[in-house]
Amino acid sequence: MLKKLGFYSLFLLIGGCLEPYEFIAHDNKPSLVVEAYISDKSFDETLLYPSDGRYFTVKLSETGDVTNTRAIPVTGAVVELWSNDNEVWPYTEGVTGIYSLLDAEFKAQRGIQYKLRILLTDETVYESEWVSLPQVDAPPIGEVGFTETERQTYIMESSEWVLKSIKGVSANIQIPKNISGGTIHYRWTYAPMWIYVAPLISRNSPVYKCWATDAFHLKSYGLQIDKSGRYVKDLFFFPTIRNERIFEKFSVLITQQVMNEPYYSFWKEMKDRNEGSALVDIPPYNLKTNFSSSSSSSSPSGEKNVSGFFGVVTEQAKQWYFKKEELSYGVENTLKADCLVNYGPGSPAEECTDCRAYSFGIATTRKPAWWQD
C-alpha cells in the first residue's frame, strides 16, 4: 500500500480526510440521528448534471450516553414520505441504515408540503414538521473557477506537526444578480472524482488507469446568505504540490441548494460547531430539530431524543473539471519516483502496479458515462 510511502502523510490533513469523530451524548435515553432531504430534481434529472444520478435517501443511526467513534446504524425501520395531499412514498432499506426512495421521477413540487415519518422496530414513531420548497426563485447556477493561493497548514514531518505554507487552488463560484426580491439561503456540497494511474505498469494494462472517489475528501460544505448577488464566493481549497489527485484530471460535482431559513440555520450551527476542527466531525446533538417522537402504548419507554433536520430544497449542480496544466506553474507527477524508492524488502506497493489497489479512496477501471476526456 502507498500508505507505507511517507510522501502521502501530507494529505491526511490538507487533503480533506476526516478522522472518525469521538462524541459523548449526555443522556440515558437513546437518540436517533436522521439525515434526510428532498429537492425539486428527480433521479432522472440529476443524470443530466451530468452525474451517476442521486436517489433521495434517509440515513438513520442511534447512540446513547456512551463515548463512541461512530453511531450505530438503525435497521428494520419503516420510512415514508407523506404529502399534504395524501400521497405516500415508501423508502427501501439497502445499505445498512440507509433507506432510498426508489422512484426515478419523484421530485418535490411547489405548493406541496411534505413530512418524513419513521417507525422503528420498537414502535417508536418519529415525524418531521411539514416542510415545503422555498418560495424564493434562485438564478441559474453561476460559473465555477479558481484562484491560485497558499495556505498555512500543519503537515507531518519526522513524526512532528509543522506549520508550512502550501501552494494550492481555491475553487469559487459566481453568485449571479439576485432579482428575486428576497433573501436566498445557499448551501454547496462537493463530490470529487479523479484519475489515478499505476505508474509501474504498462499503459496497455487493463489496471493502469482508474477513476477514484473518497467519501471523506471535500466533505465540508459552503454556506451563504445572499441579498444582491454579483460577487464571487470561495468554495473549497486543495493543494497542488505532491497531490496525486490532480496529476491526471480532477473533477468535482458541485451541488447548489437553496433552502428555507430554518434548514439553513441548522447547517450554519453545525458548521460553527465544527469550525477550526479539521479532524472532527460532530454529530448534530443539541441542535434545533424539526422532528418529534412518540411511542405506542405497548412501548413503555416514552418519548425519545431525536437529532437532525428534514429539509426541502431547490437544487442545481455542475460537474467542474480541473487539470494541472491550467496553473501558472508546473506540478511534478511524483508517483513513479516515489514507487521506485526502496522502503525495505519486498515488491513496491500494490497500487504502483494495479490502480484498483489505490489506498486513499475507492478506485475502479470503469469510466463513468459522463466523464469528459
Side-chain angles (χ1 to χ4, degrees):
M1 296 173 64
L2 279 176
K3 289 180 181 178
K4 69 182 180 183
L5 303 181
F7 66 95
Y8 271 96
S9 63
L10 171 66
F11 300 108
L12 291 179
L13 179 60
I14 63 177
C17 295
L18 301 177
E19 296 293 336
Y21 55 71
E22 182 173 293
F23 59 87
I24 300 177
H26 294 290
D27 201 298
N28 291 325
K29 294 182 293 186
S31 181
L32 180 73
V33 179
V34 184
E35 302 174 45
Y37 81 93
I38 59 172
S39 82
D40 64 339
K41 293 294 187 293
S42 67
F43 173 87
D44 285 344
E45 288 173 315
T46 61
L47 292 172
L48 304 177
Y49 281 163
S51 75
D52 289 332
R54 179 267 307 127
Y55 286 108
F56 299 116
T57 62
V58 174
K59 182 179 179 180
L60 301 180
S61 55
E62 187 178 58
T63 189
D65 188 12
V66 294
T67 300
N68 212 330
T69 55
R70 58 172 61 88
I72 302 170
V74 173
T75 62
V78 177
V79 181
E80 296 173 331
L81 179 70
W82 291 18
S83 74
N84 63 343
D85 59 1
N86 298 317
E87 288 190 271
V88 178
W89 295 268
Y91 287 71
T92 302
E93 185 175 8
V95 178
T96 303
I98 298 179
Y99 303 76
S100 300
L101 198 167
L102 299 177
D103 183 335
E105 297 181 351
F106 171 80
K107 60 183 178 181
Q109 303 285 346
R110 278 281 175 88
I112 303 295
Q113 292 184 315
Y114 302 90
K115 74 174 179 180
L116 198 63
R117 185 179 188 274
I118 302 164
L119 173 64
L120 300 188
T121 55
D122 67 358
E123 300 186 32
T124 307
V125 176
Y126 297 82
E127 289 188 349
S128 74
E129 298 173 358
W130 290 102
V131 192
S132 58
L133 285 167
Q135 294 301 306
V136 64
D137 291 317
I141 187 170
E143 292 299 314
V144 179
F146 72 90
T147 56
E148 297 177 6
T149 186
E150 293 189 14
R151 276 195 182 177
Q152 294 293 314
T153 307
Y154 281 98
I155 65 173
M156 181 68 75
E157 285 189 354
S158 302
S159 302
E160 292 184 358
W161 289 108
V162 180
L163 185 63
K164 285 199 170 185
S165 181
I166 302 298
K167 279 188 174 183
V169 158
S170 179
N172 55 54
I173 190 168
Q174 295 280 343
I175 307 298
K177 181 179 180 180
N178 183 350
I179 60 174
S180 69
T183 300
I184 301 177
H185 295 83
Y186 286 109
R187 178 174 180 255
W188 293 273
T189 59
Y190 323 115
M193 177 176 283
W194 56 96
I195 292 176
Y196 172 76
V197 298
L200 300 186
I201 196 71
S202 167
R203 288 178 175 269
N204 297 323
S205 169
V207 294
Y208 170 73
K209 178 189 288 189
C210 283
W211 284 260
T213 59
D214 179 6
F216 293 105
H217 186 51
L218 300 184
K219 190 180 179 183
S220 63
Y221 53 88
L223 296 171
Q224 184 71 28
I225 297 177
D226 175 71
K227 296 181 182 294
S228 61
R230 292 182 295 188
Y231 55 89
V232 175
K233 165 73 175 177
D234 287 335
L235 296 180
F236 55 85
F237 171 88
F238 57 90
T240 52
I241 306 301
R242 301 185 72 85
N243 182 356
E244 86 288 352
R245 298 183 181 97
I246 68 164
F247 286 168
E248 299 295 330
K249 194 171 188 178
F250 181 72
S251 178
V252 183
L253 177 65
I254 299 174
T255 301
Q256 174 180 287
Q257 297 178 343
V258 171
M259 55 191 59
N260 291 311
E261 191 277 334
Y263 194 37
Y264 178 91
S265 296
F266 170 83
W267 287 112
K268 178 63 166 62
E269 188 175 354
M270 176 76 79
K271 194 175 185 70
D272 289 345
R273 288 176 58 177
N274 284 320
E275 201 68 41
S277 301
L279 299 181
V280 178
D281 188 17
I282 303 173
Y285 292 107
N286 303 318
L287 300 185
K288 183 178 179 181
T289 179
N290 62 351
F291 283 93
S292 59
S293 65
S294 62
S295 296
S296 68
S297 57
S298 62
S299 178
S301 57
E303 185 172 340
K304 297 185 178 182
N305 292 338
V306 58
S307 302
F309 210 100
F310 173 60
V312 183
V313 304
T314 60
E315 189 173 87
Q316 301 178 66
K318 279 191 173 182
Q319 193 72 240
W320 176 65
Y321 292 89
F322 173 82
K323 295 194 72 173
K324 65 182 187 295
E325 287 77 15
E326 299 178 62
L327 296 167
S328 64
Y329 54 89
V331 171
E332 180 187 2
N333 185 334
T334 58
L335 283 176
K336 184 173 182 178
D338 286 309
C339 279
L340 290 173
V341 173
N342 183 8
Y343 286 90
S347 302
E350 187 179 0
E351 57 215 279
C352 294
T353 56
D354 187 340
C355 66
R356 298 170 301 176
Y358 177 61
S359 291
F360 291 93
I362 298 173
T364 175
T365 56
R366 184 186 68 85
K367 176 183 175 181
W370 48 264
W371 186 270
Q372 295 180 7
D373 289 323

